[in-house]
Amino acid sequence: MVATATSPSSSPSRSSSFFTTTSSHDDSTVLAGGGAITLPNHKDYGTLVNNNELESANPSSSPQANMGALQADRPGYGTCSILSSSMNLVNAMMGSGIIGLPLALYLCGFWAGIAMSITIAGLTCMAMHLLVLSGVRSGQYTLADLCRVSLLGRHGGQAINLMLVFHTAVLGDMLPQLLGGWLPWFADRHIAVVCFGLLFSLPLCLPRSVAPLAKWSTIGVLLLPLVIIGVAIRLPAYYTPFEVVWLNPSLDQVFKGLAIMGLSYGCSQNVFGVFLSQRDQRPSQFLKADVLSISIGFMLNMTFAVFGYFCFAGGHAAINANVLLNFPANDSIINLVRLTLAVFIALTIPLALHPCRESLQKMLGHNTEGRLPTTKQHCIVTLSMFCVVLCLGATLTELGTVFAIIGGVSTTAIGFLLPGAAYVRIFLPELLCGELFRSPADQKVVGSWPLMLGAFTLVFISMPIMYFAILDAVL
């Protein structure tokens, strides 16, 4: 049974600020169901807008299940703090991209790679902010719906649904080499991926909202310093003196490195899910979680990248797309690093699966026009997508091609091109001639020229990254 939930609305006063482009200090306004409702103070952010809505969402389900379904679908039901939201974003962005960053520094040149990583991190931060502003203004809270409404129509929305479901591929490359000497049956990549997926990932894929994943994301993020410490301990054993290259003169190699960096910071697919789970859903407050997550992610990414780069940049063998494969299989400390990172990546799979599941629910008609998926529909779609992820993780073996295709095309399109293009489409007519976007969802979110310049930058920088990534994959 699928019931239609009602959406309350209100008409708060409108004004704008320079950067966040929302009403100035709108402390008493919380987004709810595509509209806005005035609340007395900060404590009320995330409280139920309408208790009848929770009860009618799916009468056969528990209140907790209904709450999770509403939280994943529309504003006004968030329960996470800014710190919890930032942990979910860090967990989503790190994933398998971190192990390719030493190669990215090698491809770009060390100092140029550091500078480009700072640039990519800053652009990713801005892209997430633009996504939230565009979503709030248009009343669309999935990437597919935003693309459908503002850019490419129904077919474009369906194309966006084919996003990052390849994160388990790295497990297949790490676990056989890690555990094969200790537990021979784990030398089979199929067994390794399936066991890790069922043990760590599947239970965390079942919640409808990303809010319950915040504590697991925190645990996952706390594992990453252990990974970095393990590589740092082994650095003296593998370091070979060499001359640091400032900038790689090969343009195609530089853009290939940028594609890997894009994957290491790519979390735009999770922005709306994390935004809807946050208690204070003002765009200016989500921007705090955005900035905090990018700052944490940059420090972890670059520390690991520098240590991995100096381990093997002076060696005779090329740096692997999975730098841990450059270490010998009998290095006990690195084996612990591999195991720790494998657990971390297994914890990122539920976050990677969440936006894909929500988009597929809409494609199947389970989550349209205010209706919410039933528990049965939710479980069937979740298990089906999880099986697809396991199959891909068990069969994909060449991460260099995976990084080029996913990082260079899918992640760049979703992380840079879509946020920039959507912001331009929604806000440029208003800035030029006062023409409002056709959706009346929240007209108090207005555009600004500094953010418009950033939006054009995102669109332009995404083109050569995707071009060289496709060229490299094809050739």
Side-chain angles (χ1 to χ4, degrees):
M1 175 178 180
V2 179
T4 302
T6 59
S7 298
S9 62
S10 179
S11 299
S13 59
R14 317 294 189 195
S15 62
S16 65
S17 63
F18 179 73
F19 182 71
T20 60
T21 67
T22 59
S23 59
S24 179
H25 303 291
D26 51 342
D27 291 349
S28 62
T29 302
V30 59
L31 299 173
I37 190 166
T38 300
L39 297 172
N41 54 49
H42 286 297
K43 294 188 299 181
D44 295 315
Y45 281 102
T47 57
L48 289 179
V49 178
N50 185 347
N51 285 328
N52 293 331
E53 185 176 26
L54 177 63
E55 296 171 359
S56 64
N58 187 355
S60 63
S61 300
S62 66
Q64 291 81 3
N66 285 332
M67 182 65 167
L70 290 168
Q71 189 177 89
D73 182 72
R74 63 201 65 178
Y77 300 92
T79 57
C80 287
S81 65
I82 291 175
L83 180 60
S84 295
S85 295
S86 65
M87 289 298 101
N88 271 335
L89 288 173
V90 173
N91 196 21
M93 80 173 64
M94 302 298 287
S96 59
I98 188 174
I99 59 177
L101 282 175
L103 174 61
L105 288 184
Y106 182 79
L107 293 174
C108 295
F110 181 76
W111 294 110
I114 296 290
M116 291 175 186
S117 183
I118 295 173
T119 302
I120 293 294
L123 291 175
T124 302
C125 183
M126 180 171 58
M128 290 193 287
H129 186 51
L130 297 185
L131 268 181
V132 169
L133 294 176
S134 301
V136 170
R137 180 58 177 272
S138 63
Q140 306 300 322
Y141 295 99
T142 68
L143 288 174
D145 284 338
L146 181 62
C147 182
R148 173 180 55 80
V149 168
S150 64
L151 294 173
L152 302 175
R154 181 172 61 89
H155 297 295
Q158 291 177 349
I160 295 297
N161 291 327
L162 305 176
M163 62 181 76
L164 304 175
V165 294
F166 297 97
H167 284 283
T168 49
V170 69
L171 295 179
D173 270 349
M174 277 195 283
L175 295 182
Q177 198 176 56
L178 166 64
L179 301 175
W182 300 349
L183 302 173
W185 53 88
F186 269 111
D188 187 320
R189 66 179 297 113
H190 301 85
I191 296 177
V193 171
V194 171
C195 288
F196 253 63
L198 293 177
L199 180 62
F200 292 101
S201 302
L202 180 57
L204 299 180
C205 290
L206 296 177
R208 293 178 182 243
S209 168
V210 300
L213 303 180
K215 56 181 176 292
W216 294 102
S217 294
T218 303
I219 293 173
V221 172
L222 292 177
L223 291 176
L224 290 175
L226 301 179
V227 171
I228 294 171
I229 291 172
V231 175
I233 291 174
R234 299 301 293 152
L235 173 59
Y238 295 96
Y239 173 74
T240 301
F242 67 98
E243 182 178 353
V244 174
V245 177
W246 285 62
L247 173 65
N248 191 332
S250 175
L251 191 62
D252 61 329
Q253 295 296 301
V254 170
F255 278 103
K256 184 177 179 181
L258 287 176
I260 297 174
M261 291 179 186
L263 179 58
S264 67
Y265 291 102
C267 62
S268 294
Q269 69 277 7
N270 289 102
V271 164
F272 285 125
V274 176
F275 171 73
L276 294 176
S277 72
Q278 184 167 305
R279 182 166 55 248
D280 189 338
Q281 292 176 349
R282 291 172 295 171
S284 60
Q285 295 304 300
F286 184 77
L287 181 60
K288 295 180 181 179
D290 179 359
V291 173
L292 179 59
S293 64
I294 288 293
S295 300
I296 295 173
F298 174 79
M299 289 187 292
L300 293 172
N301 273 334
M302 279 298 97
T303 305
F304 180 87
V306 169
F307 286 150
Y309 173 83
F310 279 101
C311 278
F312 299 107
H316 298 292
I319 298 179
N320 200 293
N322 175 356
V323 71
L324 295 182
L325 295 180
N326 282 95
F327 293 94
N330 60 355
D331 189 319
S332 298
I333 293 179
I334 296 301
N335 280 341
L336 292 176
V337 168
R338 290 189 180 107
L339 178 59
T340 304
L341 189 57
V343 173
F344 167 75
I345 293 174
L347 294 177
T348 71
I349 294 171
L351 282 167
L353 203 67
H354 182 269
C356 303
R357 180 181 63 202
E358 297 307 309
S359 297
L360 184 58
Q361 296 278 24
K362 289 184 178 293
M363 289 179 62
L364 297 175
H366 298 164
N367 189 8
T368 56
E369 300 177 354
R371 293 177 296 176
L372 298 174
T374 64
T375 301
K376 180 180 179 180
Q377 292 169 339
H378 167 75
C379 291
I380 290 175
V381 171
T382 299
L383 292 175
S384 299
M385 294 195 66
F386 186 77
C387 289
V388 172
V389 169
L390 284 185
C391 290
L392 290 172
T395 55
L396 288 177
T397 59
E398 179 49 54
L399 279 183
T401 303
V402 171
F403 278 138
I405 296 175
I406 300 176
V409 181
S410 300
T411 306
T412 304
I414 292 171
F416 291 166
L417 181 59
L418 174 59
Y423 189 86
V424 170
R425 172 64 184 88
I426 292 173
F427 292 103
L428 185 60
E430 172 189 320
L431 291 173
L432 289 177
C433 54
E435 177 187 344
L436 297 178
F437 187 71
R438 61 178 179 271
S439 171
D442 199 330
Q443 302 296 346
K444 73 182 177 66
V445 176
V446 298
S448 71
W449 282 111
L451 289 180
M452 187 60 64
L453 177 61
F456 277 111
T457 302
L458 289 172
V459 173
F460 290 141
I461 199 173
S462 66
M463 298 299 182
I465 294 177
M466 291 190 293
Y467 170 77
F468 282 104
I470 294 173
L471 191 66
D472 180 72
V474 172
L475 300 180

